[in-house]
Amino acid sequence: KKDSLNFNIKLADKDAANQLDLYGLVQFARDTTARLKILPSDVILEHQNWRIDNQVRVRFLNGKTLVSGFELANGGQKVKINGFISDDPADKLKVEFDKFSMTTLDQLTKAANVKMKGTLNGDVVLTSLTKAPTFDSHLAIDSFTMNKTLIGDVKLMSTLDSNRTRANVNMNIVN
């Protein structure tokens, strides 16, 4: 088609812990600057094969970005993202975790010499991401272990107010 562009982005060498093989389609239309679809693609995180199976739709509308249908999965583990990225506090972006293994975050915690284990479930709702971000989270980590020390089952509820002056955190740990 003359009004679209197919693309494939590959990042990292074949032996890297994290890799990306992303397929997508950009469609140019009259009512919006562009529509981006992320097509079924492969992602490797910590040497584990993850997959984006469904078409993810990304629309750019009047200074806002709408993400719908993003789901990254590895077996029973899932991360889903849906909602708006904008400066408007009324626009929400929801990130959901389902049976997410904490070891997937090893590359992020490696510099601090921290290794984590456990299973993360729950969601984080973000607002006003491009101006004054706020969040509201309801997360649970089953059998949370840090550096081979069992911490226990963790329940975490937290919010960051719109003034970004105070975070309210409620954490319960059962060992």
Side-chain angles (χ1 to χ4, degrees), residues 7-56:
F7 65 87
N8 175 227
I9 300 171
K10 291 182 184 267
L11 298 175
D13 65 69
K14 64 182 176 117
D15 298 321
N18 299 303
Q19 300 175 32
L20 175 66
D21 189 8
L22 184 70
Y23 290 88
L25 172 68
V26 180
Q27 295 175 310
F28 302 96
R30 292 186 182 132
D31 65 335
T32 179
T33 306
R35 291 182 182 138
L36 172 66
K37 290 181 183 176
I38 298 174
L39 303 174
S41 300
D42 295 310
V43 179
I44 296 177
L45 299 173
E46 287 299 314
H47 299 287
Q48 297 177 20
N49 293 321
W50 289 74
R51 182 101 177 125
I52 300 170
D53 274 330
N54 299 322
Q55 283 191 12
V56 179

Side-chain angles (χ1 to χ4, degrees), residues 143-157:
S143 302
F144 181 57
T145 303
M146 189 167 14
N147 293 341
K148 298 183 181 179
T149 301
L150 177 63
I151 306 298
D153 293 338
V154 177
K155 292 199 184 309
L156 176 69
M157 295 190 313

Side-chain angles (χ1 to χ4, degrees), residues 4-138:
S4 63
L5 172 70
N6 287 304
F7 65 87
N8 175 227
I9 300 171
K10 291 182 184 267
L11 298 175
D13 65 69
K14 64 182 176 117
D15 298 321
N18 299 303
Q19 300 175 32
L20 175 66
D21 189 8
L22 184 70
Y23 290 88
L25 172 68
V26 180
Q27 295 175 310
F28 302 96
R30 292 186 182 132
D31 65 335
T32 179
T33 306
R35 291 182 182 138
L36 172 66
K37 290 181 183 176
I38 298 174
L39 303 174
S41 300
D42 295 310
V43 179
I44 296 177
L45 299 173
E46 287 299 314
H47 299 287
Q48 297 177 20
N49 293 321
W50 289 74
R51 182 101 177 125
I52 300 170
D53 274 330
N54 299 322
Q55 283 191 12
V56 179
R57 298 184 189 283
V58 180
R59 292 191 65 187
F60 306 98
L61 308 159
N62 303 320
K64 300 180 181 190
T65 303
L66 172 61
V67 178
S68 58
F70 181 90
E71 182 178 299
L72 184 63
N74 168 289
Q77 297 183 78
K78 291 186 173 109
V79 178
K80 298 177 184 177
I81 302 174
N82 287 290
F84 284 96
I85 299 169
S86 78
D87 61 2
D88 187 344
D91 289 336
K92 297 179 179 179
L93 183 72
K94 187 173 187 179
V95 181
E96 298 175 78
F97 299 93
D98 186 21
K99 299 176 187 157
F100 183 83
S101 174
M102 295 298 289
T103 59
T104 307
L105 302 175
D106 280 353
Q107 288 295 316
L108 297 175
T109 61
K110 186 164 129 181
N113 204 26
V114 172
K115 286 207 171 262
M116 298 184 293
K117 288 185 181 178
T119 304
L120 174 65
N121 291 290
D123 62 70
V124 178
V125 176
L126 304 148
T127 60
S128 190
L129 273 173
T130 61
K131 188 173 184 182
T134 66
F135 66 83
D136 185 15
S137 68
H138 298 85

